[in-house]
Amino acid sequence: MSYKKPESVLVVLFDKHHRVLILQRQDDANFWQSVTGALEAGEQPIDAAYREVAEETGLILSPDACPIEDCACINRYEIRPRWQHRYPPGTTHNTEHVFRACIDSRLPLQLTEHLHAEWVSKDEALTRLWSPSNREAVAKFVGVPQ
């Protein structure tokens, strides 16, 4: 088995009306989140952010047409016990790099890793997102000038 690296990206996607894209996980229907995923070997966080957005939503963003912005925020959190088997033995914490991008909410999504996607108000996102670090990122980085 190949273990995940305990370093990941969180990419908060929102539109010009400050509505936030939230995604419902396949393995836990009560877990709503933004785009997130582990860095691959040798990958830089910004590259992982672009890759994860493409993999999870089908949206191909680019630095020229639709840039992903580094929020200069890094979180460290405890990995849920039910997911610790995905990481090297003894790994209990993950380091998360936070990014954001303002995108057109009319673009069609192609979900590959989630059951459902919804565009919701910032307030609704703050009540439905499972992860505290995800809620903090939405609170801090959605609705402020880029």
Side-chain angles (χ1 to χ4, degrees), residues 9 11 35-40 47-57 113:
V9 295
V11 186
V35 171
T36 187
L39 273 67
E40 295 179 352
D47 298 322
Y50 281 102
R51 177 183 53 77
E52 288 292 342
V53 169
E55 287 178 3
E56 295 187 12
T57 68
E113 301 177 16

